[in-house]
Amino acid sequence: MTSTLDRPDLAVPAPKRPATRERLTWRQRLGRFDVKASPYAYISPFFVLFGLTGLFPLVYTLVVSVHEWELLQGQGEFVGLENFANVLQDRFFWNSIFNTLSIFLLSTVPQIAMALVIAAVLDQALKARTFWRMSVLLPYVVTPVAVALIFSSMFNEADGLANNLVGLLGIEPIQWKHDTLASHIAIATMVNWRWTGYNALILLAAMQAVPRDLHESAAIDGAGTARRFFSITIPSIRPTLIFVIITATIGGLQIFAEPKLFDVSSAGGIGGYDRQFQTTVLYLWEMAFFRQNFGEAAAIAWLLFLLIVGIGLINFFISKRIATAEGRVIKKRTAKRLATKEVGK
Amino acid sequence: MKLSRRTTAAAALAGAAAISLVATGCSSNSGGGDGETIELTITTFGTFGYEDLYTEYEEANPNIDIVANNIDTGGNARTDLFTKLGAGSGVSDIVAIEEGWLGAIMEVSDQFVDLTEHGIEERAGDWVDWKYEQATDPEGRVIGYGTDIGPEGLCYNGAAFEAAGLPTDRDEVAELFGGEDATWERYFELGQQYTDATGKAWYDHSGFVWNAMVNQLEEGYYTSDGELNVDGNAELRERFDQLAEATTNGQSAAQTAWDWNGGKSFVDGTFATFVCPGWMLGVVQGQLEAGGGGPDTGWDFADVFPGGAANWGGAFLSIPTSSEHPEEAAALADWLTQPEQQVKQSAAAGNFPSTLEAQEELAANPTPNEVFNDAPTGQILASRAEGVVAQYKGPDDSIIQENVFGPALQALDRGEADGDTAWQEALDLLVELEVE
Amino acid sequence: MTGITDARAFPLRPAKRKGGDAGNAGIGSKPGFLSYGILLAVLLGSAYPLWWSFVVGSGTNATRAETFPLIPGGNFFANASQVLGAIPFWQALGNSLIVSSIITVSVVTFSTLAGYAFAKLRFRGRDGLMIFVIATMAIPTQLGIIPLFIVMRELGWTGELGAVIVPTLVTAFGVFFMRQYLVDVIPDELIEAARVDGANQIRTFINVAIPAARPAMAILALFTFMMAWTDYLWPLIVLDPTNPTLQTALGQLQSGYYVDYSIVLAGAILSTIPLLILFIVAGRQLISGIMQGAVKG
């Protein structure tokens, strides 16, 4: 994402100073003040508000995390890194990390794969194009809470729609709310349902930016649809693809509403009786408001932050390498094709 | 650039927002416009049966407007209340507190109004003595009006009993289980017969049976002087093993509490018995309705309980010090817990009153409860209440029940653990959840 | 406040757009049976869960157990009125509109101001500050819930809508988004010309920047609104059931002692109707917004 910063900067050149250091008129001085001060005036509302609502909590979380701090009793003794040590030794914390990553993988991989296929299908001269695009996007208008209500009902173990359909295939009812893997699949299904179409549209936008010449020349070369999809479309939209993966990661690591509402009746809505689908954010909620331990909850918040930054960095470096390598390949290919086919610009 | 379309969308949003601002602006005005009307908020949980009483009170007191909120389970109500106490606002004027987590509330009892300032002392003799004592904190402040208590009887499914060749008449059933001398041993023995004969489960899930087994002990998870007493508690362990054996042998239906498959498990004969504190009768009724069943599903209520008299749950109405109308709130809570109202509440929700007068009333006037095969549930509960002793509830009692033994027993129910590993799991959880 | 910085809201990615949106053809210019078959399957997958909710929500609790119910029952209004009795639906709807609208206006306004300054004005510390803004985009909003909760308690704001609105009045993402858009879209000559005409900075902003920024502002507004509208965690913590947003009220619906799924699902449908109407009316704009956001940057 930061790569965009390197773009040529087209900022207004600084106003030239008057050649002679004469006394400026009142109006000129006001004008200079205007030029100098305005940028700060424009950015200051953002920074003031952001400092209060974004930065201050960040620092304060750190303060809370090194103290004994209870919901009702408030600030207690300074305990150093004890809260962090406790959390890191807590099997429920690691359980929540495992669940988060598992749900994240189960939602991201099929989601991106399906989004790619749908985008490729939409990237054609379709009849009723807008209708199909809208049908793909429809789930996006259903909020995660509503999605959770709908799907937790569908995934009811004894007689929900999912098990009824599974039953038609002659398969035993699946323990969607008790079994670890099944519950992860169910929650991933909610995420996938809501986001696949949305991501498909983003990928579609990227696909439409791929030069048509590439497809045409490949088609003339005799490359089939599937081959062109893998050798032209996918490489060309790779930056967008990686972006979609990164955003899905950030979103996926913060899942809360779906596991919170998937099975409210057991154990106070903390993600299953055995925490089998408790995500880290849900664990953070449990620690803070169910177990009322703000100190450890703050430590969880920081560890989650580090995890997201860590995965973000991994993503970034991988994507940067792939993007540059791919960029070179594409450029070469394009140049070659354009040269051989003598297709003018 | 198709500028116009996007701006249309933005304009649509802005327009909708403007309308909503106007709309809500109006409604909030009308709410607080009349200076004499006092709005009292009340938060209950489970099945309280208060709806008609609210209406009655509002009619008698036109200046009072009751805004009621009900939370599904006592456990969720606990989280809700503590979050709001932590937030320092948002606690209703009257809030229902469950006996199971009264211990935790007692640690912050100064956040609740001392009801002796509102004359509760004069009513001390109304309640069974232990109920009033439970609501008294170490400093002698009384922080709750007792609503109901939870004497336990045995719910059983007559149709299922008949199919298994067991007696169905409720007196015979009481006799079958041993009458006054009913034991858990006998209960599980009959359960094994039933399970072996029918291939079906005896009870819905181990957690509730366990609650009943623990709650009837003189001392439960804590000693009477407040010490945690689980690890190395031979009496608890013995009972746990009893339960574990029965569950391992297929007597548990491994149901999810408070869900029971949308009530259907109560209708389709998934299990044959169910431990029933008074307030649970309303829950069963609701489950039957949700599951599409009626009185014909065969549920009945017997005047017997394994292991003798037991109390599970019961609630109090408390007023947080943050209430802006403590006077009016106290008046309402006082009224709601008067014997007369408790009788009505019992009729609506099936729970059992905590005032002596109301109890006598129920005992003297047996009213058939049509959901339970016309059993005189009130009268039976009065009988079940005899000999109930209050058990000391520690600060984390409800946590131990729901989050320590809950998961351990679920694992047992689902065949993922045997008795030993489940017990060990509970002990581990006890440490890990930093229970005090 | 959570979710608002969810990067998904602003899928910007620089991509070189060539050729128009219309009449293009990707891998196969003539979509065949297979393509329409896939689309039909996707349509069913997208729409059936909603339709199923409506069918169950207009039926009884028993409808849920049917294998593949297709025909709605006649109880929708009865169930909907039960929803209205169980949760303060209209109040929650109003609250959600207020919260989402104020957040949207604030985020768009301040993002445009700051984005314009970062994109087009020269000032000391600009690049450093911009890198700072980008770096903070990775901060998960959940990180702040504990201190924010403590602060809201101190301020006595818990239970008030302000507690939901204030933490999200600005987002780093909004600034980044506007900056990326404006850096290319406003020619420097235009600003220079305005200056030569004697316009001061604020007039230049109003007369030059805002008209140019309008499309991006609309996109940012759309997604900020969606994010504020769908947020659940923070309102759940800081509001109470007597003054909920639509999402927290909806969450409560499932916590009835006996869950009647037909009522829960009627509530899910009822709560979706406002956005559904918006989607039908402005779906085309939403789609082009998402696709514009994806391409523009």
Side-chain angles (χ1 to χ4, degrees):
Chain A
M1 277 181 277
T2 45
S3 62
T4 46
L5 256 196
D6 305 334
R7 284 203 212 167
D9 197 75
L10 302 171
V12 188
K16 283 174 197 152
R17 281 165 176 264
T20 49
R21 279 202 160 263
E22 283 167 34
R23 227 182 124 79
L24 298 168
T25 63
W26 177 81
R27 184 174 270 281
Q28 278 172 315
R29 274 203 285 175
L30 189 70
R32 274 184 62 179
F33 176 76
D34 184 34
V35 168
K36 283 214 147 152
S38 287
Y40 296 106
Y42 295 171
I43 62 169
S44 57
F46 168 76
F47 278 101
V48 169
L49 284 170
F50 189 74
L52 287 174
T53 61
L55 285 187
F56 169 70
L58 195 72
V59 176
Y60 200 5
T61 304
L62 202 57
V63 175
V64 175
S65 71
V66 293
H67 285 89
E68 201 162 274
W69 202 305
E70 296 280 319
L71 171 69
L72 293 183
Q73 284 80 5
Q75 187 172 0
E77 281 174 35
F78 176 83
V79 292
L81 296 178
E82 194 184 305
N83 287 325
F84 286 91
N86 285 346
V87 169
L88 287 173
Q89 286 165 23
D90 183 348
R91 69 178 158 130
F92 301 138
F93 173 71
W94 295 109
N95 172 60
S96 77
I97 296 278
F98 166 78
N99 291 340
T100 304
L101 292 177
S102 165
I103 292 170
F104 153 69
L105 282 177
L106 285 169
S107 57
T108 311
V109 176
Q111 187 187 134
I112 307 276
M114 283 189 296
L116 266 174
V117 171
I118 294 169
V121 172
L122 286 173
D123 189 22
Q124 301 177 93
L126 290 168
K127 291 194 178 92
R129 201 180 57 192
T130 306
F131 171 78
W132 294 118
R133 288 182 185 178
M134 278 179 75
S135 77
V136 161
L137 192 63
L138 178 65
Y140 179 67
V141 303
V142 187
T143 65
V145 171
V147 171
L149 294 186
I150 292 171
F151 280 82
S152 63
S153 179
M154 281 185 166
F155 283 112
N156 187 290
E157 288 179 350
D159 52 14
L161 181 67
N163 271 347
N164 287 344
L165 294 180
V166 157
L168 291 180
L169 303 174
I171 300 171
E172 285 289 298
I174 294 167
Q175 305 264 304
W176 297 110
K177 296 186 180 178
H178 286 93
D179 185 68
T180 305
L181 181 65
S183 65
H184 291 187
I185 291 172
I187 290 168
T189 304
M190 301 184 201
V191 179
N192 290 339
W193 185 70
R194 183 154 193 266
W195 288 103
T196 300
Y198 179 86
N199 283 327
L201 288 184
I202 292 175
L203 293 172
L204 172 62
M207 286 179 188
Q208 293 188 338
V210 177
R212 299 295 141 190
D213 308 348
L214 278 182
H215 280 292
E216 280 159 19
S217 51
I220 295 168
D221 283 350
T225 309
R227 193 173 148 64
R228 273 180 286 146
F229 179 69
F230 284 109
S231 59
I232 297 178
T233 308
I234 299 244
S236 314
I237 63 163
R238 210 143 189 169
T240 307
L241 195 55
I242 287 162
F243 173 79
V244 168
I245 293 170
I246 290 174
T247 52
T249 309
I250 296 174
L253 293 174
Q254 301 180 24
I255 288 177
F256 175 76
E258 292 89 347
K260 176 83 178 75
L261 294 168
F262 188 48
D263 185 8
V264 281
S265 54
S266 57
I270 56 170
Y273 78 95
D274 202 20
R275 296 181 165 77
Q276 63 271 36
F277 50 92
Q278 181 178 56
T279 58
T280 306
V281 178
L282 188 50
Y283 187 48
L284 167 62
W285 177 84
E286 186 206 336
M287 186 59 87
F289 298 102
F290 188 84
R291 284 160 64 182
Q292 306 170 10
N293 188 335
F294 269 24
E296 284 191 25
I300 295 171
W302 263 96
L303 291 168
L304 177 67
F305 174 51
L306 293 180
L307 180 78
I308 291 176
V309 169
I311 292 183
L313 283 177
I314 293 171
N315 266 333
F316 177 74
F317 286 118
I318 292 175
S319 66
K320 204 170 179 184
R321 275 186 61 187
I322 294 174
T324 47
E326 204 53 52
R328 253 180 268 128
V329 173
I330 299 256
K331 257 183 215 154
K332 249 187 235 163
R333 273 194 206 147
T334 315
K336 200 172 136 200
R337 281 187 193 281
L338 292 181
T340 47
K341 297 285 164 192
E342 290 178 335
V343 181
K345 214 188 171 194
Chain B
M1 290 275 144
K2 291 169 196 160
L3 225 167
S4 58
R5 278 181 184 160
R6 276 191 298 275
T7 35
T8 315
L13 283 175
I19 291 165
S20 79
L21 281 166
V22 172
T24 45
C26 289
S27 65
S28 67
N29 279 347
S30 63
D34 187 359
E36 292 190 2
T37 305
I38 291 171
E39 192 182 278
L40 289 178
T41 52
I42 177 165
T43 300
T44 54
F45 55 84
T47 335
F48 251 70
Y50 271 171
E51 288 75 13
D52 292 342
L53 292 175
Y54 295 150
T55 317
E56 191 182 331
Y57 193 80
E58 282 174 330
E59 276 164 12
N61 301 275
N63 63 322
I64 300 291
D65 181 21
I66 298 172
V67 179
N69 177 38
N70 192 61
I71 295 172
D72 55 347
T73 66
N76 287 341
R78 177 187 180 277
T79 314
D80 182 73
L81 176 57
F82 276 99
T83 303
K84 272 153 206 160
L85 287 175
S89 77
V91 187
S92 302
D93 294 304
I94 300 175
V95 60
I97 288 170
E98 209 223 309
E99 187 219 21
W101 37 276
L102 183 64
I105 290 294
M106 278 303 173
E107 303 225 304
V108 290
S109 60
D110 59 338
Q111 301 214 24
F112 293 89
V113 172
D114 181 4
L115 300 170
T116 57
E117 291 165 16
H118 299 281
I120 197 172
E121 278 166 312
E122 289 154 35
R123 284 192 60 199
D126 283 9
W127 285 281
V128 293
D129 48 5
W130 57 267
K131 187 77 176 174
Y132 187 77
E133 270 164 37
Q134 275 188 318
T136 311
D137 77 0
E139 283 84 51
R141 302 166 77 252
V142 183
I143 61 161
Y145 293 95
T147 60
D148 61 328
I149 59 175
E152 299 196 66
L154 194 68
C155 289
Y156 67 99
N157 190 309
F161 271 40
E162 189 171 10
L166 294 170
T168 56
D169 177 78
R170 69 182 70 93
D171 293 329
E172 286 175 39
V173 168
E175 213 45 53
L176 176 73
F177 281 91
E180 285 303 301
D181 305 314
T183 60
W184 286 107
E185 218 169 355
R186 177 72 179 147
Y187 175 76
F188 291 127
E189 188 188 306
L190 286 166
Q192 205 56 53
Q193 285 174 23
Y194 176 85
T195 301
D196 291 344
T198 61
K200 286 182 171 177
W202 185 234
Y203 44 88
D204 74 311
H205 77 294
S206 302
F208 278 9
V209 176
W210 176 245
N211 287 349
M213 293 174 98
V214 175
N215 276 317
Q216 74 189 163
L217 294 170
E218 215 162 289
E219 291 180 335
Y221 300 126
Y222 292 83
T223 64
S224 304
D225 39 0
E227 290 296 313
L228 185 65
N229 183 28
V230 177
D231 198 359
N233 185 331
E235 202 174 12
L236 273 188
R237 181 67 208 261
E238 192 190 323
R239 292 202 162 202
F240 190 89
D241 287 343
Q242 246 181 322
L243 172 62
E245 192 193 337
T247 297
T248 313
N249 290 333
Q251 294 191 31
S252 167
Q255 291 288 299
T256 303
W258 315 118
D259 177 34
W260 296 288
N261 185 31
K264 289 201 179 64
S265 299
F266 274 95
V267 180
D268 61 14
T270 302
F271 48 88
T273 64
F274 191 63
V275 292
C276 276
W279 49 267
M280 194 68 94
L281 297 172
V283 175
V284 173
Q285 184 178 347
Q287 290 295 327
L288 288 172
E289 279 165 19
D296 56 331
T297 44
W299 283 96
D300 208 324
F301 189 52
D303 184 2
V304 67
F305 202 74
N311 184 76
W312 175 15
F316 300 86
L317 297 182
S318 295
I319 296 154
T321 47
S322 59
S323 169
E324 284 171 23
H325 309 289
E327 190 74 33
E328 291 79 4
L332 172 57
D334 186 31
W335 183 81
L336 284 169
T337 54
Q338 292 286 347
E340 195 186 333
Q341 275 65 252
Q342 286 197 343
V343 171
K344 289 180 191 166
Q345 183 195 7
S346 178
N351 54 9
F352 190 67
S354 58
T355 57
L356 295 164
E357 197 184 320
Q359 292 182 355
E360 281 155 18
E361 165 99 19
L362 288 189
N365 299 305
T367 340
N369 185 331
E370 61 171 24
V371 179
F372 292 91
N373 194 24
D374 290 335
T377 48
Q379 193 185 37
I380 292 173
L381 284 168
S383 158
R384 295 310 320 151
E386 280 169 30
V388 161
V389 279
Q391 185 190 71
Y392 171 80
K393 296 290 180 192
D396 283 332
D397 230 288
S398 67
I399 299 277
I400 300 173
Q401 185 173 297
E402 259 193 73
N403 298 86
V404 171
F405 280 97
L409 290 166
Q410 277 259 13
L412 189 67
D413 270 355
R414 301 174 53 74
E416 291 158 5
D418 60 17
D420 287 338
T421 46
W423 177 261
Q424 190 53 48
E425 168 74 2
L427 291 185
D428 289 347
L429 284 165
L430 204 59
V431 175
E432 282 164 338
L433 296 181
E434 296 168 28
V435 168
E436 287 151 11
Chain C
M1 65 148 209
T2 54
I4 200 79
T5 55
D6 184 342
R8 276 195 247 221
F10 310 103
L12 45 130
R13 182 73 216 176
K16 283 134 261 152
R17 186 188 181 85
K18 287 191 185 146
D21 194 32
N24 53 56
I27 45 170
S29 42
K30 285 181 196 101
F33 264 139
L34 182 65
S35 295
Y36 284 108
I38 291 173
L39 288 174
L40 207 60
V42 171
L43 171 66
L44 284 177
S46 292
Y48 186 69
L50 270 182
W51 182 247
W52 179 83
S53 307
F54 179 65
V55 171
V56 179
S58 62
T60 64
N61 210 14
T63 317
R64 183 179 58 102
E66 290 173 23
T67 299
F68 216 73
L70 287 171
I71 315 293
N75 292 341
F76 184 75
F77 290 102
N79 290 336
S81 78
Q82 287 220 45
V83 170
L84 300 184
I87 55 173
F89 182 83
W90 298 112
Q91 186 196 6
L93 182 66
N95 283 346
S96 279
L97 278 169
I98 292 170
V99 166
S100 307
S101 306
I102 294 178
I103 287 176
T104 302
V105 169
S106 167
V107 165
V108 171
T109 307
F110 295 134
S111 297
T112 308
L113 266 173
Y116 168 72
F118 277 119
K120 290 286 144 186
L121 303 181
R122 171 163 291 185
F123 56 94
R124 193 183 279 266
R126 185 184 67 176
D127 291 350
L129 286 172
M130 193 60 218
I131 287 169
F132 171 79
V133 168
I134 290 168
T136 54
M137 289 193 308
I139 299 173
T141 42
Q142 288 84 1
L143 190 55
I145 58 171
I146 288 160
L148 281 172
F149 179 80
I150 296 172
V151 169
M152 293 305 165
R153 171 173 63 190
E154 293 303 314
L155 294 174
W157 284 10
T158 42
E160 310 283 336
L161 291 186
V164 180
I165 296 168
V166 168
T168 341
L169 282 176
V170 293
T171 64
F173 230 106
V175 175
F176 178 70
F177 181 81
M178 292 311 296
R179 187 255 178 207
Q180 295 304 94
Y181 185 86
L182 290 173
V183 91
D184 282 346
V185 91
I186 306 178
D188 290 308
E189 297 78 33
L190 215 58
I191 295 174
E192 189 59 26
R195 222 167 55 84
V196 170
D197 285 353
N200 60 21
Q201 291 283 326
I202 194 73
R203 282 205 21 219
T204 311
F205 175 73
I206 291 167
N207 294 334
V208 177
I210 293 204
R214 207 165 277 164
M217 287 166 77
I219 296 168
L220 184 61
L222 208 58
F223 292 117
T224 306
F225 190 90
M226 271 305 271
M227 282 297 127
W229 184 266
T230 56
D231 192 13
Y232 178 61
L233 173 60
W234 179 241
L236 177 74
I237 290 169
V238 87
L239 292 182
D240 54 80
T242 56
N243 190 28
T245 65
L246 197 53
Q247 303 312 312
T248 57
L250 201 54
Q252 261 181 48
L253 206 53
Q254 190 168 248
S255 52
Y257 224 142
Y258 11 98
V259 180
D260 187 334
Y261 287 99
S262 59
I263 291 169
V264 170
L265 292 171
I269 290 295
L270 206 57
S271 77
T272 305
I273 288 174
L275 281 188
L276 208 54
I277 291 171
L278 194 71
F279 179 67
I280 290 164
V281 173
R284 211 182 269 270
Q285 284 74 27
L286 187 66
I287 287 166
S288 72
I290 290 172
M291 292 180 61
Q292 288 277 329
V295 182
K296 212 42 214 165

